[in-house]
């Protein structure tokens, strides 16, 4: 029996010899011959082996630059098994993941069981040497997973197990992903090696429905609608509609429209695409941008009434007449500036409607489209009809129930002796939640809840006085405008009357002149006749004498 030292020596010699043979084979055997050797070696192994192997590469075959979604899904699926069973692990700190992902290290294997069938997954890595045009050599690492199972389970593995692995892996990836806030790039930057159609940053907005200043009943209704949508894949398919939903958020500035969007994104765990229409060149570019968005996302167009001239609405002649000259000039200047800013964009209302609600809207699922506006009356009815903007949500001024949410958030109080006074003042004064929140926020460590609540009461009283004065000024301006309009109308009527009198006088003068000319012509004609008669009488007299 060989001693341990002899066995180790023999093993070392054998390994050294094999490494030498492999080095000579790799260096001196031409590559095309190596391909044939490997091809027939695999065939021989297949004849004597009962195992089936499926290979999943890290990058797709079309150029090798795009990462395979299936590879990522398998890695996510195996991460649970890897952490529990593998001996060697690799920590992947991915930009798209909010947590550390543990996966098998290279050349490691784990075992998995599905419906009583055991399979093995191998993590492999292959290094290839490439020669550049400048004579420099570089190495390229290509990783892949290999699934091994007995050939008698081929049908079940291909039909059931692989679908299970990919769907579970994608679900794990969605749960672990770091949510993003996207903004669209100019079409001049649409290159694969650059940022592409969209740029993104991590989305970490802290807003939730619990911190949103709104009537609790209204918030609960919105949450139920969102839950119904997110679980409605089969329902939307049943009724024959694309799996999307539109929300129109309208109300004065500072009423929480952007905060509502963040709360929806956090509630559903969706990404957010902030679409800036003024940088989109035309309708075709808009379609390409929307096709490049992913599912489980919110597409936002803020201030839709200001993004582009989409409504085509015009003032009536009566409204134009009532508008003073100064207001007209101001409006013309604003329209001129708006058109100058948008002259590069050719996106039309029809193009926008087709992109969000036409045939192109069915190309991807599970999306929410949100429009925001301060002036809902300015929007074209076709843009906000039900079916496009399914849920119209008014973001109003702060009322008492919304104030209680803000007081809990900023001051951590549920009641105060001034709550009754605040409820009365909020019912009489229009103040946005943003202004109320700023007033409630402590400005120093010395300020407590009492100071902040009293400051709010004082601010509300001041705002009430300002609102009353503003209303009086508006009423005064309205009265002056009405008086000016009446005066202008009176002047126009007098001018019209004067003009009519002048026309009448002119007409009368013309008629008198015409009559005078007629009389003169008649007199002249009569004189001519008399003169002719006398002349004829003289001629007759002369003829008689002769």
């Amino acid at each position: 029996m060989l001693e341990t030292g002899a066995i180790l020596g023999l093993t070392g010699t054998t390994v050294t010899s094999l490494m030498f043979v492999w080095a000579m084979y790799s260096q001196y055997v031409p590559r095309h011959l190596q391909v044939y050797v490997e091809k027939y070696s695999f065939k021989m192994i297949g004849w004597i082996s009962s195992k089936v192997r499926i290979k999943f590469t890290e990058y797709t075959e079309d150029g090798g630059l795009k990462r395979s979604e299936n590879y990522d899904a398998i890695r996510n699926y195996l991460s649970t098994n890897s952490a529990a069973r593998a001996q060697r692990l690799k920590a992947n700190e991915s930009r798209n993941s909010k947590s550390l992902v543990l996966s098998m290290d290279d050349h490691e294997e784990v075992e998995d069981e599905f419906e009583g069938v055991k399979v093995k997954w191998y993590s492999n890595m292959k290094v290839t040497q490439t020669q550049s045009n400048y004579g420099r050599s570089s190495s390229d690492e290509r990783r892949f997973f290999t699934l091994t199972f007995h050939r008698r389970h081929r049908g079940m593995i291909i039909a059931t197990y692989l679908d299970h692995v990919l769907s579970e892996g994608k679900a794990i990836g969605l749960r672990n992903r770091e949510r993003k806030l996207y903004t669209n790039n100019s079409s001049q930057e649409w290159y694969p090696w650059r940022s592409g159609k969209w740029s993104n940053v991590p989305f970490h907005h802290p807003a939730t429905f619990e911190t949103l200043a709104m009537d609790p009943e209204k918030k609960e209704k919105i949450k139920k609608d969102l839950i119904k949508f997110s679980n409605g894949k089969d329902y939307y398919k049943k009724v024959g509609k694309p799996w999307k939903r539109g929300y129109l958020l309208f109300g004065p500035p500072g009423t929480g429209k952007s905060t509502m969007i963040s709360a929806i994104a956090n509630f559903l765990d969706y990404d957010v695409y902030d679409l800036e229409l003024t940088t989109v060149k035309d309708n075709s570019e808009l379609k390409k941008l929307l096709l490049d968005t992913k599912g489980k996302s919110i597409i936002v167009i803020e201030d839709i009434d200001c993004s582009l001239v989409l409504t085509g609405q015009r003032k009536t002649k009566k409204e134009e007449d009532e508008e003073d000259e100064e207001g007209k000039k101001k409006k013309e200047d604003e329209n001129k500036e708006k058109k100058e800013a948008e002259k590069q964009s050719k996106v039309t209302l029809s193009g926008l409607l087709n992109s969000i609600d036409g045939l192109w809207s069915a190309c991807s699922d599970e999306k929410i489209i949100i429009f925001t506006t301060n002036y809902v009356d300015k929007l074209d009815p076709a843009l906000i009809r039900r079916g496009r903007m399914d849920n119209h949500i008014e973001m109003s001024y702060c009322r008492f129930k919304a104030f209680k949410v803000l007081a809990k958030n900023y001051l951590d109080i549920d009641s105060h002796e001034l709550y009754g006074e605040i409820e009365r003042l909020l019912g009489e004064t229009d103040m946005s939640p943003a202004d109320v929140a700023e007033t409630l926020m402590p400005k120093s460590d010395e300020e407590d809840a009492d100071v902040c609540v009293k400051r709010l009461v004082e601010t509300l009283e001041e705002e009430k006085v300002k609102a009353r004065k503003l209303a009086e000024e508006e009423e005064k301006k309205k009265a002056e405008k009405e008086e000016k309009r009446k005066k202008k109308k009176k002047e126009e009527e007098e001018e019209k009357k004067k003009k009519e009198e002048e026309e009448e006088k002119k007409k009368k003068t013309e008629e008198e002149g015409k009559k005078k000319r007629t009389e003169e012509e008649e007199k002249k004609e009569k004189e001519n006749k008399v003169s002719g008669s006398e002349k004829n009488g003289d001629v007759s007299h002369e003829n008689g004498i002769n």
Side-chain angles (χ1 to χ4, degrees), residues 13-167:
T13 303
T14 304
V15 171
T16 303
S17 301
L18 289 175
M19 291 178 63
F20 175 76
V21 171
W22 177 255
M24 297 295 290
Y25 168 79
S26 301
Q27 185 172 359
Y28 293 105
V29 176
R31 180 59 188 164
H32 66 279
L33 292 180
Q34 292 183 25
V35 172
Y36 281 108
V37 171
E38 293 173 4
K39 176 181 177 180
Y40 288 106
S41 298
F42 285 126
K43 278 190 175 182
M44 292 179 62
I45 293 173
W47 291 339
I48 62 176
S49 175
S50 61
K51 300 292 184 182
V52 177
R53 293 173 176 81
I54 302 178
K55 182 179 177 181
F56 299 89
T57 58
E58 184 177 10
Y59 293 94
T60 57
E61 298 298 329
D62 51 346
L65 294 175
K66 184 178 180 181
R67 192 176 180 90
S68 171
E69 294 182 2
N70 290 337
Y71 180 89
D72 288 336
I74 293 170
R75 188 187 66 175
N76 292 333
Y77 175 80
L78 295 176
S79 61
T80 53
N81 275 342
S82 301
R85 302 179 186 179
Q87 297 297 320
R88 292 179 296 113
L89 298 172
K90 180 168 54 178
N92 301 290
E93 190 174 351
S94 174
R95 290 187 306 168
N96 296 324
S97 178
K98 62 185 178 183
S99 60
L100 201 65
V101 178
L102 297 177
S103 62
M104 293 186 294
D105 197 5
D106 299 331
H107 311 295
E108 183 67 19
E109 68 176 59
V110 292
E111 191 177 79
D112 189 28
E113 184 174 344
F114 181 75
E115 295 184 358
V117 177
K118 291 184 178 181
V119 298
K120 285 188 177 181
W121 288 93
Y122 297 87
S123 175
N124 302 303
M125 188 265 290
K126 184 177 181 181
V127 180
T128 57
Q129 298 291 334
T130 57
Q131 198 80 11
S132 67
N133 296 332
Y134 301 99
R136 297 178 180 177
S137 61
S138 61
S139 60
D140 184 23
E141 295 182 352
R142 294 285 172 166
R143 289 177 172 79
F144 56 92
F145 287 116
T146 302
L147 171 64
T148 304
F149 55 91
H150 199 280
R151 64 176 63 180
R152 66 173 174 266
H153 302 303
R154 179 194 294 265
M156 187 274 291
I157 296 295
I158 294 176
T160 307
Y161 178 67
L162 289 180
D163 287 342
H164 167 73
V165 170
L166 295 178
S167 62

Side-chain angles (χ1 to χ4, degrees), residues 282-393:
D282 51 31
N283 294 334
S284 177
E285 188 173 301
L286 177 61
K287 290 185 178 71
K288 292 176 183 177
L289 279 167
L290 294 178
L291 286 175
D292 199 45
T293 59
K294 300 177 182 178
K296 291 186 176 295
S297 62
I298 301 172
I299 300 172
V300 179
I301 303 179
E302 292 199 87
D303 297 320
I304 182 69
D305 55 305
C306 300
S307 296
L308 288 175
V309 182
L310 295 173
T311 60
Q313 296 176 352
R314 297 288 185 271
K315 281 185 168 60
T316 64
K317 186 66 171 67
K318 182 179 179 182
E319 290 172 332
E320 289 180 351
D321 291 340
E322 292 178 354
E323 192 176 40
D324 55 65
E325 294 299 326
E326 183 180 352
K328 280 186 180 181
K329 188 176 183 303
K330 184 178 179 182
K331 192 68 176 177
E332 288 174 0
D333 293 341
E334 289 178 356
N335 288 336
K336 186 176 179 181
E337 292 176 2
K338 194 173 182 180
K339 288 178 181 178
E340 284 293 324
E342 297 163 2
K343 63 183 180 181
Q344 300 297 328
S345 179
K346 296 181 180 178
V347 176
T348 64
L349 175 62
S350 175
L352 179 61
L353 297 182
N354 288 332
S355 298
I356 65 173
D357 192 38
L359 295 175
W360 292 91
S361 66
C363 296
S364 56
D365 283 336
E366 200 170 358
K367 289 183 180 178
I368 291 178
I369 302 171
I370 297 180
F371 292 163
T372 71
T373 179
N374 295 335
Y375 308 101
V376 68
D377 294 336
K378 290 185 178 181
L379 300 181
D380 194 295
L383 186 65
I384 59 175
R385 69 163 177 81
R386 305 292 178 175
R388 290 195 175 106
M389 294 296 104
D390 306 283
N391 197 345
H392 294 192
I393 302 174

Side-chain angles (χ1 to χ4, degrees), residues 95-96 178-185 195 198-205 270-274:
R95 290 187 306 168
N96 296 324
E178 183 179 41
R179 288 185 297 114
K180 300 288 186 179
L181 173 62
Y182 294 85
T183 184
N184 53 302
N185 297 320
S195 54
W198 297 91
S199 298
N200 66 78
V201 294
F203 183 76
H204 298 309
H205 200 288
Y270 281 8
D271 292 325
V272 178
Y273 289 84
D274 184 14

Side-chain angles (χ1 to χ4, degrees), residues 434-481:
D435 290 334
V436 172
E438 178 60 29
T439 306
L440 286 176
M441 183 181 294
K443 305 301 187 291
S444 66
D445 293 337
E446 289 76 20
E447 292 188 353
D448 57 10
D450 288 336
V451 173
C452 296
V453 171
K454 289 177 181 177
R455 181 170 59 219
L456 176 62
V457 172
E458 293 173 358
T459 304
L460 285 170
E461 290 175 345
E462 291 174 359
E463 289 296 322
K464 184 179 178 181
V465 173
K466 288 180 182 179
R468 186 173 64 251
K469 289 182 178 179
L470 184 62
E472 291 174 355
E473 291 176 0
E474 288 293 329
E475 190 66 28
K476 185 178 179 181
K477 286 182 180 179
K478 187 177 179 181
E480 291 175 352
K481 188 175 180 180

